[in-house]
């Protein structure tokens, strides 16, 4: 086998897509002094591989990988205290990250007016966002076009101040100093639009109550 062939057979030494190399380089520069190039590269390749497993629309894979990897590295930097957190960090976790947690994240972002930073993830992410859920949110003027299912990773849990779980069992790791809540919500998977509207409205009510619990100083 040639030297080139040997290098290609070893994981982590080559990039399967050119944009991953550019992303790793950009993030390495952005987080210089915080993370090594090797750490950034590992996060980029792990993020790409995780999304590749469930991605149904390959045309969106590059954009989603860039967003996912960037958010993970940012979360890790926040957890290390290398980046100041000016607003509360809220993480929503459900099983598929295709319905409940996505709705909660969109509502939190919209209702807080950006005064809360929100993430969402799934313990067993689906291949795509539930189209009925997207339709129910579109009815009230909330856009789901940038939403995509993401796997739950330890870094986003560590960066969160508040972690809301929704039927994902014990998949979410528990760290001291964080607020944990479990919301018992019906899974919208396989439900009619009428049923999803009910779930949507319940999530909106819960998000409003959650935001009311944050102190003015936090918000």
């Amino acid at each position: 086998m040639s030297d080139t062939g040997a290098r290609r057979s070893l994981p982590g030494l080559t990039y399967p897509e050119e944009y991953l190399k550019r992303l790793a380089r950009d993030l390495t520069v952005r987080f210089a002094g915080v993370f090594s190039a090797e750490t950034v590269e590992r996060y980029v390749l792990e993020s790409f591989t995780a999304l590749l497993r469930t991605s149904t629309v390959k045309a969106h894979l590059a954009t989603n990988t860039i967003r996912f990897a960037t958010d993970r590295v940012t979360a890790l930097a926040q957890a290390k205290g290398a980046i100041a957190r000016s607003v509360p960090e809220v993480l929503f976790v459900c099983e598929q990250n295709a319905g409940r947690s996505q709705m909660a994240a969109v509502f939190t972002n919209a209702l807080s007016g950006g005064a809360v930073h929100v993430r969402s993830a799934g313990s067993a992410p689906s291949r795509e966002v539930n189209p009925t859920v997207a339709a129910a949110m579109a009815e009230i003027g909330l856009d789901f076009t940038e939403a995509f299912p993401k796997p739950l990773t330890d870094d986003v849990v560590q960066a969160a101040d508040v972690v809301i779980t929704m039927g994902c069992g014990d998949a979410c790791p528990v760290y001291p100093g964080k607020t944990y809540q479990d919301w018992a919500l019906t899974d919208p998977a396989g439900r009619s639009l009428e049923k999803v509207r009910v779930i949507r409205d319940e999530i909106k009510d819960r998000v409003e109550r959650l935001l009311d619990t944050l102190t003015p100083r936090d918000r």
Side-chain angles (χ1 to χ4, degrees):
M1 180 182 294
S2 69
D3 289 342
T4 300
R7 286 197 298 271
R8 287 178 179 170
S9 69
L10 295 174
L13 298 184
T14 59
Y15 292 92
E17 301 287 352
E18 182 62 27
Y19 73 84
L20 297 175
K21 184 176 182 178
R22 294 194 303 270
L23 173 61
R25 183 176 61 245
D26 292 345
L27 289 177
T28 297
V29 172
R30 177 175 170 182
F31 290 95
V34 180
F35 302 120
S36 67
E38 291 77 14
T39 296
V40 172
E41 175 183 334
R42 176 169 59 84
Y43 267 72
V44 167
L45 293 175
E46 283 180 357
S47 299
F48 169 77
T49 301
L51 294 184
L52 182 64
R53 292 194 196 100
T54 57
S55 178
T56 55
V57 183
K58 301 306 180 188
H60 298 161
L61 182 59
T63 299
N64 290 347
T65 298
I66 291 169
R67 291 170 55 199
F68 184 42
T70 301
D71 194 48
R72 287 189 63 200
V73 175
T74 301
L76 186 63
Q78 289 175 326
K80 287 169 58 69
I83 294 179
R85 292 183 288 181
S86 58
V87 297
E89 298 281 341
V90 178
L91 172 66
F92 293 101
V93 185
C94 67
E95 184 177 2
Q96 296 184 329
N97 193 215
R100 291 167 292 184
S101 57
Q102 293 282 6
M103 283 192 283
V106 170
F107 272 128
T108 300
N109 187 59
L111 294 174
S112 72
V116 172
H117 185 258
V118 61
R119 295 181 173 99
S120 69
S123 55
S126 177
R127 291 186 175 275
E128 61 182 357
V129 170
N130 186 322
T132 308
V133 166
M137 296 296 278
E139 287 181 340
I140 57 174
L142 293 177
D143 189 8
F144 247 45
T145 56
E146 293 189 356
F148 63 98
K150 302 168 292 298
L152 177 64
T153 56
D154 192 68
D155 38 80
V156 296
V157 180
Q158 291 190 58
D161 297 305
V162 180
V163 180
I164 310 293
T165 57
M166 306 172 179
C168 56
D170 297 325
C172 189
V174 176
Y175 290 98
K178 303 184 186 303
T179 299
Y180 288 85
Q181 297 181 22
D182 184 67
W183 292 359
L185 296 163
T186 301
D187 189 345
R191 307 283 177 177
S192 66
L193 180 57
E194 182 179 4
K195 296 286 187 182
V196 171
R197 287 179 182 131
V198 174
I199 300 169
R200 176 199 67 194
D201 294 345
E202 181 180 357
I203 291 174
K204 180 176 181 289
D205 290 342
R206 285 177 177 265
V207 167
E208 289 175 335
R209 293 198 296 272
L210 171 67
L211 294 177
D212 285 341
T213 67
L214 299 177
T215 66
R217 179 171 56 86
D218 290 335
R219 295 187 50 192

